[in-house]
């Protein structure tokens, strides 16, 4: 059997080698306590703390250094605003006064115009909320070693997580659908995905704030968004700033208002972990269950597309689905709320050659975009390459849905890829070559999780 063969090739020794190399990457990217105490996504191109990156990174640390996992989350939540909002970048270090990332703190000016904390500079956008999942995972590892410390962890983070989820389920969901509205492609984490093309193409910026591209000094412009894309990103960011980063102050025709299927699904999954935490802390769960019910009622009615047999995002301004067939359309499977038919449809999508399911790619993992899509590009970020966080989420979803063989397949192929290529930001599905930033933290951290002795922990989450 092919799987058994691959399994044999990954004996414990190889797992240990992968984990050792991955830890080295995380150590390299760790920024010492006097400069913030966090893990940058990668040297050079991403020098500060990113929101969902840190959630993934904490999963990796949880296996061997719970203190560092907690420190990572603590540093991130030090940037939380008083209304619960959690920014997508925390500019911890004193280097924040230099032009090391654009747009930097001098653009966002969050503490001058919003509820942002004064002590640390932040952006004015958010990202998918993986954090309650990460905290719950750290808790579960820690509770076996030091139960009082594990309980203290929940006590410390539960109020912060509730504030974040309450912000997302209210301010970011005026319709009460249990589905989150994002206001900028950067909030999706899938920044450059064709999911946003039709909306972005319709935007003619009336002004573009001054900005400098620094990203393309670190990574080839061939792998990064175009100037036209960046002009629109900056225009939208400037419009949000004019509204003091408060969606309630935006004009109703603000052109980027999208119910994001991945963001909403991650929030739902994270809320399920909050319910577990509430049980341990003897906290009431009515509000949490109410949020979850709203999602359950609207996920399929608003976002499922019967013809395409996958989920689409929803354009709130025009009141219609955004019909782009990307890997994101499969990710609501992580919520463990789909019908058997939907689960099977998603598995069938992954079996197609267009999603590298027929042994037709160098790597048998899901690419970010179907190979036959007009805009597919194996090198351009979020428009074709394989991302490890996406495949890790699918792995967890398959495990949780008892699709064990599929889960094992994803796990083995991710581990094989990082062993052959190292820990890159993304990989070409056609050649398997590592692309974007080298020594990328979430790839390393999630490889540690996958290589850990007992990946079955996921089943009980
Ligand atoms: C990418 O996004 C940033 C902007 O937030 C960028 O391109 O400069 C995305 O891949 C995003 O998902 C990720 O969190 C970030 C840092 O790894 O990089």
């Amino acid at each position: 059997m092919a799987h058994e063969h691959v399994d044999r090739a990954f004996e414990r020794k190889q797992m240990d080698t992968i984990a050792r190399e991955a830890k080295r990457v995380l150590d390299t990217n760790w920024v010492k306590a006097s400069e913030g105490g966090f893990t940058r996504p990668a040297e050079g191109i991403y020098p500060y703390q990113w929101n969902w990156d840190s959630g993934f990174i904490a999963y990796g640390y949880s296996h061997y250094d719970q203190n560092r996992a907690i420190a990572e989350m603590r540093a991130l939540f030090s940037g939380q605003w008083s209304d619960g909002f959690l920014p997508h970048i925390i500019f911890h270090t004193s280097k924040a006064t230099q032009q090391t990332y654009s747009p930097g703190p001098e653009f966002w000016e969050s503490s001058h115009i919003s509820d942002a904390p004064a002590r640390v500079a932040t952006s004015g956008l958010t990202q998918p909320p993986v954090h309650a999942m990460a905290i719950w995972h750290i808790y579960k590892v820690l509770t076996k070693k030091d139960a009082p410390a594990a309980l203290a962890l929940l006590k410390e983070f539960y109020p912060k997580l509730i504030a974040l989820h309450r912000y997302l389920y209210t301010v970011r969901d005026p319709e009460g659908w249990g589905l989150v509205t994002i206001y900028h492609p950067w909030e999706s984490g899938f920044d450059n995905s064709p999911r946003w093309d039709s909306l972005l193409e319709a935007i003619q910026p009336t002004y573009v704030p001054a900005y400098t591209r620094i990203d393309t000094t670190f990574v080839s412009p061939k792998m990064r968004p175009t100037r036209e894309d960046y002009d629109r990103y900056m225009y939208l960011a400037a419009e949000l700033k004019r509204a003091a980063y408060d969606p309630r102050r935006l004009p109703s025709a603000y052109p980027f208002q999208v119910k994001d299927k991945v963001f909403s699904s991650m929030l739902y999954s994270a809320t399920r972990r909050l319910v577990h935490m509430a049980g341990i802390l003897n906290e009431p769960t009515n509000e949490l269950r109410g949020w979850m019910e709203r999602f359950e009622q609207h996920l399929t009615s608003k976002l499922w597309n019967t013809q395409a047999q996958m989920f689409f995002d929803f354009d709130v301004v025009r009141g219609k689905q955004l019909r782009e067939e990307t890997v994101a359309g499969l990710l609501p499977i992580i919520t463990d709320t789909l019908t058997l038919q939907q689960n099977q449809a998603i598995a069938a999508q992954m079996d197609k050659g267009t999603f590298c399911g027929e042994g037709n790619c160098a790597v048998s993992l899901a690419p970010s975009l179907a190979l036959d899509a007009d805009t597919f590009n194996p090198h351009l970020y979020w428009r074709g390459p394989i991302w490890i966080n996406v495949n890790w989420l699918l792995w967890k979803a398959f495990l949780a849905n008892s699709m064990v063989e599929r889960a094992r397949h994803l796990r083995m192929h991710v581990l094989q890829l990082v062993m052959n290529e190292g820990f890159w930001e993304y990989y070409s599905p056609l050649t398997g070559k590592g692309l974007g930033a080298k020594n990328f933290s979430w790839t390393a951290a999630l490889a540690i999780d996958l290589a850990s002795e007992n990946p079955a922990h996921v089943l009980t989450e």
Side-chain angles (χ1 to χ4, degrees), residues 5-133:
H5 175 72
V6 178
D7 273 356
R8 273 200 301 278
F10 281 94
E11 297 293 346
R12 191 71 253 150
K13 210 163 141 234
Q14 285 162 305
M15 298 295 174
D16 290 348
T17 306
I18 292 170
R20 196 172 53 245
E21 290 299 307
K23 287 176 197 174
R24 204 184 43 76
V25 169
L26 293 181
D27 276 346
T28 308
N29 287 334
W30 172 253
V31 178
K32 58 181 186 284
S34 60
E35 292 180 8
F38 68 95
T39 312
R40 61 186 173 214
E43 198 175 356
I45 184 166
Y46 306 123
Y48 298 107
Q49 186 171 25
W50 259 260
N51 175 320
W52 77 329
D53 296 59
S54 280
F56 296 128
I57 290 164
Y59 256 95
Y61 284 138
S62 72
H63 290 285
Y64 66 101
D65 188 345
Q66 296 82 33
N67 286 338
R68 187 163 279 189
I70 297 168
E72 184 77 28
M73 290 289 97
R74 229 172 242 153
L76 181 68
F77 278 85
S78 74
Q80 186 171 32
W81 296 9
S82 58
D83 61 357
F85 176 88
L86 191 62
H88 94 301
I89 308 175
I90 318 291
F91 299 98
H92 287 287
T93 64
S94 53
K95 293 195 197 89
T97 49
Q98 302 158 19
Q99 266 269 304
T100 44
Y101 179 80
S102 176
E106 68 293 337
F107 170 81
W108 299 104
E109 297 184 297
S110 55
S111 59
H112 297 304
I113 53 177
S114 69
D115 296 327
R119 62 189 178 278
V120 62
T122 78
S123 75
L125 306 175
T126 189
Q127 270 187 333
V130 66
H131 322 92
M133 292 171 62

Side-chain angles (χ1 to χ4, degrees), residues 373-402:
D374 292 345
T375 51
F376 173 82
N377 179 330
H379 303 120
L380 193 47
Y381 102 147
W382 294 111
R383 300 177 88 88
I386 291 164
W387 290 77
I388 299 308
N389 63 338
V390 167
N391 282 279
W392 177 81
L393 285 167
L394 288 167
W395 165 70
K396 285 173 82 69
F398 285 143
L399 272 185
N401 284 291
S402 306

Side-chain angles (χ1 to χ4, degrees), residues 184-220:
H184 196 290
W186 289 341
E187 293 202 312
S188 69
F190 287 61
D191 304 16
N192 195 29
S193 172
R195 289 163 72 188
W196 321 127
D197 282 0
S198 63
L199 289 186
L200 291 178
E201 278 159 16
I203 297 172
Q204 296 303 330
T206 46
Y207 66 98
V208 179
Y211 70 93
T212 320
R213 288 289 291 272
I214 303 178
D215 56 330
T216 45
T217 62
F218 296 109
V219 163
S220 160

